[in-house]
Amino acid sequence: MSNSLVLVINSGSSSLKFALIDTVVGDAVLSGLGECFGLPEANVSWKYNGEKSEYALSEGNHHQLAVDRIVALVEELGLKDDIIAVGHRVVHGGEKFTSTVKLDESVLEEIENLSDLAPLHNPAHVIGMRASMAAFPTLSQYAVFDTAFHQTMPAKAYTGAISRKLYEDYGIRRYGFHGTSHYFVSREAAKMVNKPIEESSFISVHLGNGASVCAIKNGMSVDTSMGFTPLAGLMMGTRCGDLDPSIIEFLLKKGWTQEEVFDELNKKSGLLGVSGLTSDCRGVIEAMENGHEGATLAFELFCYRVAKYVGSYMVALDELDGIIFTAGIGENSQPIRSKILENLKIFGYREDEAANAAARFGNKGIITQPNTPLAMVIPTNEEWVIAKESMALLHA
């Protein structure tokens, strides 16, 4: 194998995802997950050549132990000498980071300083980065930020209708997330409609356990549904999305603690909270088909709120080349896409049922009828974006 592999690492507070990306073709040669960090059952699992394997981690710094296991694994597979860089996903870059940067101690400190904006994610990213830098001391390593793609939003889109002082003192504004996903699928969509990305406009709908909508004008993000944190915007698997902020004050006055309120809004709301059953849309749809009232409401509410956002984001664009569905739900759930398009019928959208059924499980395609406004499904590939961004800086 040629020297064309980039190791992509996404380090969470109790987990670490990784993939070895062949930057010539964009495929993952190796992919895996370290999980249950801090618990006795901590382990690393991976997939290589279609075969799955697992390795139990001993006691200790599980982030470092996981990275050490990845190093040993690529050595065992004879791949280590083909790795030319390491790319790290970082959830929050604030206003400091508007593009991919090479890692050094000053960048690590800046990412740590932004931990107030992403207290669960950024400290975990830094732990994973330090472990990776210790394990691969001769390789250049890069940070790719979820928020960077959205730094092109105009002030009218990112500014909150609050005191200017809150923005100046604390950086309170809309930042947006899922940037690498919205970036990737918009470029793929431009190829599908045979237009340069600089002349293309889309509404990208990233639907997974986390979900967001992005208005993309001439290839650039001009508005997005997630806000200061990933809690805002769409209803999600366990997150509430947009909510009257006075509800927080109301619950605090009722005796709820701050931790209880935000645990409720982040981990017990969304599809899980409304259905009373599950955060998994497959389980919601199955229960709905069996007549479950809560599941039916969760399905209707989820699809309705996505359609409302899509409709509102037409205001941000001069023209619209298409709606893009992506991520786990967006790529695979035919019923949810069908219902969203039905909710958009006033704009002329008409589902092609056969095409919608075919565009699942890794298959992309246009899912609306001929001579009607375009909606399409495009599988996302955030790891490929991180690898490509890392390669671009490496060769700059």
Side-chain angles (χ1 to χ4, degrees):
M1 187 171 289
S2 62
N3 297 90
S4 61
L5 301 182
V6 173
L7 177 62
V8 175
I9 293 178
N10 177 3
S11 180
S13 57
S14 60
S15 65
L16 188 149
K17 295 180 183 178
F18 65 94
L20 201 54
I21 304 297
D22 183 338
T23 55
V24 175
V25 295
D27 292 337
V29 176
L30 168 73
S31 61
L33 172 67
E35 55 187 338
C36 300
F37 292 180
L39 299 173
E41 57 267 33
N43 70 91
V44 177
S45 59
W46 62 89
K47 184 177 181 180
Y48 178 70
N49 282 343
E51 293 188 7
K52 295 181 180 179
S53 305
E54 186 173 314
Y55 177 85
L57 296 175
S58 58
E59 290 186 17
N61 179 341
H62 285 145
H63 285 86
Q64 183 66 61
L65 291 171
V67 173
D68 291 344
R69 180 59 200 147
I70 295 168
V71 174
L73 179 60
V74 295
E75 287 178 339
E76 293 165 12
L77 297 173
L79 300 171
K80 187 176 181 183
D81 291 341
D82 294 315
I83 301 174
I84 54 175
V86 183
H88 297 267
R89 180 220 180 191
V90 182
V91 164
H92 218 310
E95 291 183 311
K96 175 70 177 180
F97 297 107
T98 60
S99 61
T100 299
V101 296
K102 185 175 181 178
L103 283 183
D104 58 25
E105 190 57 38
S106 65
V107 170
L108 288 174
E109 289 177 4
E110 289 284 0
I111 293 171
E112 283 186 310
N113 290 339
L114 290 165
S115 291
D116 279 353
L117 301 180
L120 295 179
H121 293 93
N122 276 31
H125 294 325
V126 173
I127 292 170
M129 288 172 184
R130 292 193 187 280
S132 177
M133 292 169 79
F136 297 96
T138 62
L139 293 180
S140 296
Q141 308 210 18
Y142 302 92
V144 182
F145 299 88
D146 272 11
T147 48
F149 181 57
H150 302 298
Q151 287 297 304
T152 53
M153 286 191 294
K156 65 182 180 182
Y158 71 72
T159 303
I162 54 176
S163 162
R164 185 73 180 172
K165 185 173 174 57
L166 291 176
Y167 168 61
E168 293 169 349
D169 290 353
Y170 304 113
I172 297 176
R173 51 157 284 179
R174 182 179 302 278
Y175 288 101
F177 302 90
H178 296 139
T180 51
S181 177
H182 292 304
Y183 171 90
F184 177 81
V185 298
S186 60
R187 270 69 190 159
E188 293 298 301
K191 296 174 189 175
M192 286 181 69
V193 300
N194 198 28
K195 290 179 68 174
I197 186 60
E198 298 81 10
E199 299 172 12
S200 304
S201 295
F202 301 99
I203 295 175
S204 174
V205 184
H206 178 109
L207 302 179
N209 191 50
S212 66
V213 179
C214 182
I216 300 168
K217 182 177 181 179
N218 300 328
M220 296 184 292
S221 171
V222 292
D223 208 345
T224 192
S225 58
M226 283 182 167
F228 181 64
T229 73
L231 185 60
L234 299 178
M235 170 184 175
M236 306 178 214
T238 63
R239 299 180 195 141
C240 62
D242 290 341
L243 189 75
D244 182 344
S246 293
I247 293 170
I248 297 173
E249 179 190 27
F250 175 84
L251 291 175
L252 292 173
K253 287 182 175 178
K254 291 293 183 182
W256 288 49
T257 66
Q258 177 183 316
E259 290 76 14
E260 287 172 335
V261 171
F262 284 94
D263 187 64
E264 180 75 23
L265 302 184
N266 277 287
K267 299 178 181 178
K268 299 177 181 178
S269 298
L271 290 174
L272 173 63
V274 177
S275 71
L277 293 173
T278 177
S279 63
D280 190 313
C281 83
R282 293 166 296 187
V284 168
I285 291 170
E286 182 180 352
M288 176 183 70
E289 291 171 346
N290 289 326
H292 190 280
E293 190 174 327
T296 302
L297 178 59
F299 175 87
E300 294 279 350
L301 183 55
F302 183 86
C303 297
Y304 177 64
R305 291 179 69 158
V306 172
K308 279 209 303 182
Y309 255 101
V310 170
S312 69
Y313 275 14
M314 293 183 186
V315 174
L317 305 175
D318 296 327
E319 59 181 24
L320 179 60
D321 291 300
I323 298 169
I324 308 164
F325 291 100
T326 194
I329 297 172
E331 294 171 26
N332 297 304
S333 182
Q334 178 187 358
I336 283 180
R337 296 192 306 240
S338 178
K339 188 64 178 179
I340 292 168
L341 291 175
E342 180 185 325
N343 287 336
L344 292 168
K345 60 183 180 293
I346 192 171
F347 297 105
Y349 287 90
R350 297 292 184 270
E351 174 196 8
D352 182 326
E353 292 185 12
N356 194 17
R360 291 184 294 166
F361 314 127
N363 296 318
K364 64 181 179 181
I366 293 169
I367 60 171
T368 42
Q369 296 176 17
N371 303 315
T372 65
L374 207 63
M376 63 193 80
V377 175
I378 299 178
T380 193
N381 193 339
E382 295 170 271
E383 290 80 10
W384 167 228
V385 174
I386 294 169
K388 191 169 71 168
E389 292 273 314
S390 300
M391 282 283 284
L393 266 191
L394 178 68
H395 294 309

